[in-house]
Amino acid sequence: QALLVESGGNLVQAGGALRLSCVAAGFFFRSYAMSWYRQAPGKERELVAPITSHSGSATTYADSVKGRFTISRDNDKNTVTLQMTSLKPEDTAVYYCHAQSPTGDPSLRYWGQGTQVTVSS
């Protein structure tokens, strides 16, 4: 059974930094594209940063986080990380880890339970 467990969310002041981690189990991690999403209260879930499978050579970022957030993966540890710096109050949200199989099969996509990030002004 596939499982994604996020950690690292916290309350932080504006301008601060946090490091989110997502540990995966139950599927062949290195072959899956991984992503971080977030959902703020009253808003739709939005894609923050995806990273390609295997070497993770390709990453992209939402315009709102570009230059401040960095996504990376460690296939030996089945972990994907989101390093967040220069945090702003508008970054406040529940952050979710997502895994998508290389086939694109919608039944082979997984979500974590989320971790809360709160940025105070």
Side-chain angles (χ1 to χ4, degrees):
Q1 182 176 354
L3 184 65
L4 297 173
V5 180
E6 303 100 332
S7 63
N10 211 332
L11 170 64
V12 63
Q13 288 189 334
L18 283 174
R19 184 180 180 89
L20 305 184
S21 293
C22 170
V23 179
F27 61 96
F28 193 53
F29 176 79
R30 66 178 63 238
S31 71
Y32 277 60
M34 301 298 297
S35 301
W36 284 96
Y37 285 74
R38 68 185 181 185
Q39 187 166 19
K43 295 187 177 181
E44 292 188 355
R45 191 171 296 190
E46 65 170 343
L47 177 62
V48 175
I51 185 167
T52 51
S53 60
H54 297 284
S55 66
S57 58
T59 60
T60 57
Y61 298 92
D63 287 344
S64 58
V65 307
K66 203 169 293 184
R68 300 187 297 121
F69 289 13
T70 303
I71 187 171
S72 61
R73 66 187 298 156
D74 184 337
N75 293 328
D76 291 333
K77 297 181 179 179
N78 282 12
T79 300
V80 60
T81 299
L82 186 68
Q83 179 68 49
M84 307 186 294
T85 63
S86 301
L87 283 163
K88 305 175 181 180
E90 50 264 44
D91 294 320
T92 295
V94 178
Y95 284 71
Y96 296 92
C97 181
H98 174 262
Q100 174 66 63
S101 79
T103 66
D105 186 338
S107 68
L108 296 178
R109 58 183 305 188
Y110 312 118
W111 292 94
Q113 83 289 349
T115 186
Q116 176 70 49
V117 172
T118 303
V119 185
S120 63
S121 57

